[in-house]
Amino acid sequence: MKKLGHTVDVLKQKLYDKEYKLTPQRRVVLEVFANNPEKHLSAEDVYDKVRETYPEIGLATVYRTLDLFAELDILQKMDFGDGRARYEFSESEVHHHHHLICLKCGSVTEFEDDLLEALEAVIEKKNHFEIINHELKFYGYCNKCR
Amino acid sequence: MKKLGHTVDVLKQKLYDKEYKLTPQRRVVLEVFANNPEKHLSAEDVYDKVRETYPEIGLATVYRTLDLFAELDILQKMDFGDGRARYEFSESEVHHHHHLICLKCGSVTEFEDDLLEALEAVIEKKNHFEIINHELKFYGYCNKCR
DNA sequence: GTATCTGCAAACTCTTTGCAAAAAC
DNA sequence: GTTTTTGCAAAGAGTTTGCAGATAC
């Protein structure tokens, strides 16, 4: 589990910087991610988990909060091609991690990678393209399903 | 432009193998891809282009045809995170190509890559995951927008 | 001829938006 | 106090489905 106190402080600061407010709903959404650090949660997942402690929240609020957190670079929005967005803590500065997506059971596993940096430089030069972020996904069959 | 005759023959065979029929609608959808070989077409794009020669087609038929072609491995379904699926000729056996997606204008450029094969083998061993396909995307700013 | 395929309209899923009441600062 | 934020319900985008008639083989 993440050190929640520190995480809340970071949120508070980032909200304050842009004149946003710290509401209980936002705090609870943050807690959900702190308590589920290695999961890739969809809006619906977050909604269900938030309602365990804050039953009166609306789904629209969850969507708005997720958007806000992505804008503040607290969360990273991802897309695994199954028609719903997923979110996880944004730690892009630390190290890149990518995803193994099982075509049978849909499970998503992470793996580490620092090998892409070299390729990135080549691509930038060759294509005159300024790279901000990259995303690498492998589709196939996980250990259980192969 | 692709050699359409050959392409149609491949389609015919693949349909026949699974007891599907070759209809004018399916043929026209195939033509659209043959005439737009380096584009990443959405269902709506295909619909608009098909209607130029076959105005009475329904959007649902386009969706069903794209699904079918993806199942037959004639097309590859892709997702660039903008909320609609894109399709292009499946040529995964030939060489992998990946995508540069501009965060400002949304343009999608392809680039070649054969460097990932080595990484793939390592990942398979380490994670006990059988890789079928991979997808690499770089997000950033294209030459015009940087 | 018969099973597949089509167009249409309605349904479905995920996400966004408008609005008046409520809450953060 | 004022501005932001909320919950609700309705709308929106993309996609899928049910059905009766049409078509490929």
Side-chain angles (χ1 to χ4, degrees):
Chain A
M1 189 171 336
K2 272 186 99 85
K3 295 158 290 180
L4 189 55
H6 173 255
T7 311
V8 173
D9 290 346
V10 171
L11 173 60
K12 227 166 168 171
Q13 187 57 47
K14 288 194 171 184
L15 290 173
Y16 183 77
D17 286 349
K18 298 212 172 179
E19 310 207 310
Y20 294 129
K21 294 173 181 175
L22 179 56
T23 64
Q25 291 89 337
R26 287 173 181 172
R27 187 191 283 266
V28 176
V29 169
L30 185 71
E31 275 168 24
V32 163
F33 282 93
N35 292 335
N36 295 276
E38 72 286 336
K39 300 235 184 95
H40 313 90
L41 303 173
S42 69
E44 198 77 31
D45 292 338
V46 175
Y47 181 53
D48 290 342
K49 284 176 194 293
V50 169
R51 276 192 303 174
E52 291 171 12
T53 60
Y54 200 105
E56 63 274 41
I57 199 169
L59 181 55
T61 301
V62 172
Y63 274 104
R64 281 183 289 226
T65 304
L66 295 173
D67 273 0
L68 177 66
F69 284 7
E71 182 199 324
L72 297 176
D73 202 35
I74 290 165
L75 296 179
Q76 195 181 337
K77 187 175 185 173
M78 282 165 303
D79 190 330
F80 297 143
D82 62 346
R84 83 205 62 195
R86 311 265 178 166
Y87 299 82
E88 63 174 43
F89 269 119
S90 169
E91 309 188 274
S92 45
E93 296 86 18
V94 187
H95 58 239
H96 289 286
H97 67 260
H98 299 292
H99 297 100
L100 302 173
I101 302 162
C102 181
L103 294 168
K104 193 165 174 205
C105 71
S107 70
V108 178
T109 313
E110 298 183 0
F111 69 93
E112 301 300 329
D113 163 60
D114 299 293
L115 300 170
L116 240 49
E117 316 297 312
L119 184 57
E120 211 166 272
V122 178
I123 303 280
E124 287 203 301
K125 272 243 167 79
K126 205 168 158 187
N127 295 275
H128 307 286
F129 190 93
E130 185 188 346
I131 296 171
I132 300 296
N133 196 8
H134 65 231
E135 216 178 87
L136 178 57
K137 293 179 223 162
F138 290 101
Y139 293 92
Y141 299 103
C142 73
N143 204 14
K144 281 183 212 149
C145 298
R146 58 194 305 187
Chain B
M1 175 146 21
K2 274 185 97 88
K3 295 158 293 181
L4 188 55
H6 173 254
T7 311
V8 173
D9 289 346
V10 171
L11 173 60
K12 227 166 168 170
Q13 186 58 47
K14 287 193 173 186
L15 290 173
Y16 183 78
D17 286 350
K18 298 211 173 181
E19 310 207 308
Y20 294 129
K21 294 174 180 173
L22 178 57
T23 64
Q25 290 91 337
R26 287 174 182 174
R27 187 190 284 266
V28 176
V29 169
L30 185 71
E31 276 168 22
V32 164
F33 281 94
N35 293 334
N36 295 275
E38 72 288 336
K39 300 234 184 97
H40 313 91
L41 302 172
S42 68
E44 199 78 30
D45 293 338
V46 174
Y47 181 51
D48 290 343
K49 285 177 194 292
V50 168
R51 276 191 303 174
E52 291 170 12
T53 59
Y54 200 105
E56 63 273 42
I57 198 170
L59 180 56
T61 301
V62 171
Y63 274 104
R64 281 183 289 225
T65 303
L66 294 173
D67 272 0
L68 177 66
F69 284 7
E71 182 199 324
L72 297 175
D73 203 33
I74 290 166
L75 296 179
Q76 195 181 336
K77 188 175 186 174
M78 280 164 307
D79 191 328
F80 296 143
D82 62 346
R84 82 204 63 195
R86 311 265 179 164
Y87 298 82
E88 64 175 44
F89 269 120
S90 170
E91 309 188 275
S92 46
E93 297 84 19
V94 185
H95 59 237
H96 289 284
H97 69 259
H98 298 292
H99 297 100
L100 302 173
I101 302 162
C102 181
L103 293 168
K104 195 167 175 204
C105 71
S107 70
V108 179
T109 314
E110 299 183 0
F111 70 94
E112 302 299 329
D113 163 61
D114 299 293
L115 300 170
L116 240 47
E117 317 296 312
L119 183 56
E120 209 166 274
V122 177
I123 303 279
E124 288 203 301
K125 272 245 169 80
K126 206 167 156 189
N127 295 276
H128 308 287
F129 190 92
E130 185 189 346
I131 296 172
I132 300 296
N133 196 9
H134 65 232
E135 214 177 273
L136 176 57
K137 294 178 220 160
F138 290 101
Y139 293 92
Y141 299 104
C142 73
N143 205 14
K144 282 182 210 150
C145 298
R146 62 193 300 185

